[in-house]
Amino acid sequence: MVVPDPALPEHVAIYEVGPRDGLQNESAVVPVEVKAEFLDRLAAAGLRVLEATSFVHPRWVPQLADAADLLQRLVRVDGVDYPVLVPNERGLDRALAAGVQHVAIFASATETFAKRNLNRTLDEQFAMFAPVVDRALAQGLRVRGYVSMCFGDPWEGPVAPEQVAAVGRRLVEMGCHQLSLGDTIGTGTPGHVDAVLDACLAGGVPVQQIAVHFHDTYGQALANTLAALRRGVTTVDASAGGLGGCPYAESATGNLATEDLVWMLDGLGIRHGVDLDALVATSTWMAGQLGRPSPSNVVRALGRT
Ligand code: HMG
Ligand code: MG
């Protein structure tokens, strides 16, 4: 039954991260043909933003070393945006050579994760990003900014919402059109989402520019998403089949499953443009490719894995 809630947005833009955040964390390297088919199927299921891959150092994330090859094989669908992660100018050069039009830089809210994920201090990460953003904007690209460890860090423990807001604000001031707040290890709860959003809004980041990126390690991702929607956030990151994690963050598991998100949005009468059956079929197929069942409740309920 559909029961709308007037306090929630009428439309949510789903930012699909399965091909990047999901596959970067697979122990096996997924063949490039399978990745290309995954992207084609996600586009056919109605997803309009597909984070396709990363141009990071191939030694750091060997699972995505085939980024250029993948983008060459991609049959780009009209109206579908295929952003990619780039950490530095070398990554941007590779992304530009592949014809990318939308890139995402990824900052850390904490010193320890900046070091572990980017081999930079908190301040040095901005020095690395600045020329990437300047050059990307000058070439007419759009730049998204992630902040990781917004809700806690496995090495440093609690992270002050003001620290998250300060890092996020710097990314927006650099020229990022969107700020994605990452619960990298999935420990956040709905009140904490309010606190982080309060700090970001007080720090001058408009809610229209904020996206949320919840990993589901502690089963809180959907509740946290609902909390963010109540605050007016309308872009939600999710991963088909609940694939995902971060190879450089202890205890990071899959993202919020796109199917679980779609099920909730359908029940609330919120438009999203995704064909749930086609998406479940895609995640069921991908689970077969990976040789293990999807962790998504909705895929398990509706699919045949
Ligand atoms: P570094 O070792 O400090 O690199 O790594 P460097 O700048 O010193 O360069 C060393 C060599 O690497 C040079 O080659 C560079 O050209 C080369 P040499 O001159 O020695 O022959 N190099 C590259 N080659 C290819 N592509 C590149 C590249 N960059 C340098 N882009 C670096 C620094 C940033 C490269 C490294 O730390 C890195 O690749 N990190 C990426 C880690 C990663 O991908 N983590 C997962 C994504 S983040 C995430 O999942 C969180 C998120 O989902 C949100 C959330 O959940 O919170 C987004
Ligand atoms: Mg992530």
Side-chain angles (χ1 to χ4, degrees):
M1 187 163 121
V2 178
V3 184
D5 179 340
L8 296 175
E10 289 175 6
H11 176 261
V12 161
I14 301 178
Y15 184 104
E16 170 63 44
V17 296
R20 192 280 302 173
D21 208 343
L23 298 186
Q24 78 180 7
N25 209 37
E26 281 304 313
S27 46
V29 175
V30 175
V32 69
E33 312 77 48
V34 173
K35 292 176 177 173
E37 183 172 346
F38 189 35
L39 284 159
D40 290 348
R41 292 179 70 141
L42 291 170
L47 287 152
R48 285 298 163 261
V49 187
L50 302 175
E51 196 169 77
T53 185
S54 292
F55 286 94
V56 296
H57 197 297
R59 258 201 320 272
W60 284 61
V61 184
Q63 293 89 336
L64 304 183
D66 57 5
D69 186 9
L70 175 62
L71 291 190
Q72 211 167 23
R73 287 166 190 261
L74 204 63
V75 185
R76 285 183 170 77
V77 175
D78 261 2
V80 177
D81 185 12
Y82 298 92
V84 301
L85 250 55
V86 298
N88 55 13
E89 287 196 272
R90 175 84 184 97
L92 180 65
D93 291 339
R94 293 174 57 210
L96 288 170
V100 160
Q101 290 172 338
H102 188 181
V103 295
I105 55 173
F106 46 104
S108 170
T110 67
E111 280 291 353
T112 311
F113 191 60
K115 197 73 193 163
R116 286 183 176 256
N117 199 44
L118 295 165
N119 198 24
R120 298 291 183 277
T121 66
L122 196 80
D123 276 334
E124 284 168 357
Q125 68 181 345
F126 295 106
M128 182 165 80
F129 298 143
V132 174
V133 179
D134 288 349
R135 284 182 51 207
L137 293 178
Q139 303 244 15
L141 273 63
R142 292 192 304 145
V143 184
R144 172 182 237 227
Y146 280 100
V147 186
S148 285
M149 301 298 174
C150 296
F151 296 85
D153 173 300
W155 300 280
E156 296 187 15
V159 177
E162 294 69 28
Q163 171 69 10
V164 174
V167 169
R169 190 187 168 127
R170 281 180 80 169
L171 296 181
V172 170
E173 282 172 354
M174 284 172 118
C176 291
H177 72 93
Q178 190 170 68
L179 188 65
S180 177
L181 301 173
D183 186 1
T184 321
I185 56 169
T187 53
T189 47
H192 196 167
V193 172
D194 273 328
V196 170
L197 288 174
D198 281 342
C200 289
L201 301 181
V205 182
V207 73
Q208 296 80 0
Q209 278 182 263
I210 295 179
V212 287
H213 179 104
F214 295 119
H215 285 262
D216 203 27
T217 321
Y218 290 79
Q220 303 300 302
L222 203 52
N224 289 343
T225 300
L226 186 58
L229 297 181
R230 287 201 189 289
R231 296 298 302 271
V233 170
T234 56
T235 301
V236 178
D237 297 4
S239 167
L243 298 170
C246 176
Y248 291 100
E250 271 172 22
S251 69
T253 62
N255 295 79
L256 169 63
T258 313
E259 291 83 355
D260 297 7
L261 172 63
V262 165
W263 184 269
M264 180 178 79
L265 296 178
D266 280 344
L268 289 163
I270 298 174
R271 287 181 286 112
H272 50 72
V274 175
D275 174 341
L276 182 59
D277 290 338
L279 182 58
V280 168
T282 299
S283 292
T284 305
W285 165 81
M286 196 56 181
Q289 297 293 325
L290 296 172
R292 58 178 170 71
S294 161
S296 156
N297 288 312
V298 172
V299 173
R300 284 207 303 267
L302 298 180
R304 286 184 303 280
T305 53

